[in-house]
């Protein structure tokens, strides 16, 4: 368990136990939105969810980088949960991306999210970045939800990116978590 001394640790154990007893668990992409604020810095060439197979949804993102290299970056990652509209929920963390890539255990929640993207993206190396940012055919694995200590519901993850102190863009991904026991 990576979330050391965290109040939600107990809850995540409950989630794991429930998952083991239930095959209806569902962890699914619902929507994606990508924004580059300045064309001179980046352009969104692709930002979509596509059905890859029965019940399998893939995430595709291609952000063309127009100012390279990128050797410093700050990412604010905020989790929202839908009640009446989306409200901030549990996590709002500011991460020095280049530092994180060298010290991946420093930010446990960011680390979990990164672990989910890592295998499907060309971002999985240390700084600097000398290329466009690509996420290709990313799928969510139901097993991953066992590591994320949240109840069923609709969530939004917002990645807001800054480099050299300038706001560059944001990506919002909506996901549904359905653990199958509180419908
Ligand atoms: C999250 O944290 C950042 C940086 O501290 C702050 O600017 C932002 O307003 C916060 N967002 C929410 C939804 O609290
Ligand atoms: C990423 O790939 C590695 C090696 O193939 C695999 O062991 C790991 O489970 C994968 N992680 C995720 C989150 O898919
Ligand atoms: C990064 O991901 C690619 C697949 O997109 C994989 O081939 C490569 O081994 C990964 N590199 C690291 C350092 O995990």
């Amino acid at each position: 368990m990576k979330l050391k001394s965290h109040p939600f640790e107990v809850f995540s154990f409950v989630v794991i136990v429930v998952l083991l007893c239930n095959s209806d668990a569902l962890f699914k992409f619902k929507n994606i939105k990508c924004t580059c604020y300045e064309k001179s810095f980046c352009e969104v060439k692709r930002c979509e969810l596509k059905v890859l197979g029965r019940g399998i949804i893939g995430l595709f993102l291609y952000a063309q980088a127009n100012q390279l290299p990128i050797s410093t970056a700050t990412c604010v990652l905020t989790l929202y949960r839908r009640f009446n509209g989306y409200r901030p929920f549990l996590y709002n963390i500011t991460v020095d991306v280049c530092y994180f890539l060298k010290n991946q255990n420093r930010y446990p929640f960011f680390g979990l999210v990164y672990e989910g993207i890592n295998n499907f993206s060309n971002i999985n190396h240390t700084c600097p970045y000398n290329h466009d940012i690509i996420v290709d055919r990313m799928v969510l694995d139901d097993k991953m939800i066992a590591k994320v200590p949240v109840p069923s519901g609709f969530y939004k993850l917002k990645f807001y990116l800054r480099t050299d102190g300038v706001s560059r863009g944001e990506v919002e991904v909506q996901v549904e978590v359905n653990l199958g026991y509180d419908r």
Side-chain angles (χ1 to χ4, degrees):
M1 194 58 37
K2 276 186 189 160
L3 300 166
K4 268 178 282 171
S5 64
H6 195 282
F8 290 90
E9 190 173 78
V10 172
F11 187 78
S12 64
F13 274 112
V14 173
V15 169
I16 290 166
V17 170
V18 169
L19 274 177
L20 291 175
C21 306
N22 192 314
S23 54
D24 290 338
L26 174 77
F27 188 25
K28 203 160 129 187
F29 286 128
K30 300 299 280 186
N31 201 2
I32 183 170
K33 200 174 111 193
C34 315
T35 312
C36 277
Y37 300 142
E38 293 277 351
K39 246 187 180 172
S40 61
F41 185 79
C42 61
E43 287 173 68
V44 178
K45 295 293 178 185
R46 191 171 188 192
C47 174
E48 65 173 342
L49 301 180
K50 246 178 91 172
V51 177
L52 299 178
R54 233 183 88 164
I56 302 170
I57 297 173
L59 183 156
F60 296 79
L61 171 82
Y62 192 118
Q64 179 180 301
N66 293 336
Q67 268 178 47
L68 292 170
I70 297 168
S71 41
T72 70
T74 303
C75 179
V76 181
L77 175 62
T78 313
L79 180 67
Y80 296 81
R81 186 176 183 209
R82 199 170 81 188
F83 291 105
N84 291 310
Y86 282 96
R87 311 270 174 89
F89 183 73
L90 290 182
Y91 299 102
N92 180 34
I93 51 175
T94 302
V95 175
D96 175 334
V97 177
C98 295
Y99 178 77
F100 165 80
L101 290 164
K102 286 188 288 187
N103 306 273
Q104 293 192 13
N105 47 7
R106 274 290 278 119
Y107 304 94
F109 178 65
F110 194 80
L112 281 178
V113 173
Y114 177 77
E115 219 178 277
I117 300 172
N118 192 10
N119 282 3
F120 304 98
S121 173
N122 65 350
I123 63 170
N124 58 358
H125 63 81
T126 51
C127 292
Y129 285 102
N130 277 304
H131 52 72
D132 298 342
I133 302 298
I134 302 168
V135 180
D136 195 47
R137 298 177 75 88
M138 177 185 171
V139 293
L140 292 174
D141 185 335
D142 283 347
K143 271 177 280 172
M144 275 155 51
I145 195 62
K147 296 183 179 179
V148 187
V150 296
S152 291
F154 289 89
Y155 295 87
K156 181 168 81 177
L157 266 178
K158 180 166 156 184
F159 302 81
Y160 161 81
L161 192 76
R162 229 170 29 224
T163 68
D164 306 315
V166 180
S167 297
R168 300 303 191 178
E170 61 186 57
V171 176
E172 291 187 356
V173 179
Q174 291 175 21
V175 300
E176 178 183 2
V177 174
N178 188 336
L179 302 168
Y181 61 84
D182 57 1
R183 277 174 288 185

